[in-house]
Amino acid sequence: MSVLEILVTGGAGFIGSNLALRIEELGLKVTVIDNLSSGDVRNLRDFKGEIIVEDITEPLRFNRDFDAIFHMAAI
């Protein structure tokens, strides 16, 4: 069985970063995407997954499938 891959949008914000870290603790592969307009990459200092600095309101430059997406990005 392969490890589930999870995407967390807004993952550098307070809620998104805590969610990403907790999911990672559960042994899942986590990718965070955030434009850092209000989030802070320092919230992810213990995060071991991939961090993509990109704006989700623009077409994404990567093409990958995820098993689940947690949408925490907001203004």
Side-chain angles (χ1 to χ4, degrees):
M1 182 175 197
S2 64
V3 175
L4 293 178
E5 293 192 38
I6 310 299
L7 175 67
V8 178
T9 68
F14 178 77
I15 295 172
S17 62
N18 281 287
L19 176 64
L21 289 165
R22 180 63 182 127
I23 294 169
E24 195 173 63
E25 285 176 3
L26 296 173
L28 305 177
K29 182 178 178 182
V30 184
T31 299
V32 160
I33 186 167
D34 199 300
N35 68 1
L36 302 179
S37 64
S38 61
D40 192 328
V41 75
R42 290 178 293 184
N43 290 334
L44 295 165
R45 65 183 161 269
D46 297 326
F47 182 69
K48 299 188 182 26
E50 181 180 7
I51 301 170
I52 299 170
V53 179
E54 202 166 322
D55 191 330
I56 64 164
T57 64
E58 300 295 326
L60 300 178
R61 291 176 279 176
F62 68 94
N63 186 15
R64 262 192 357 241
D65 290 329
F66 293 94
D67 296 299
I69 298 173
F70 290 88
H71 179 56
M72 302 289 117
I75 299 175

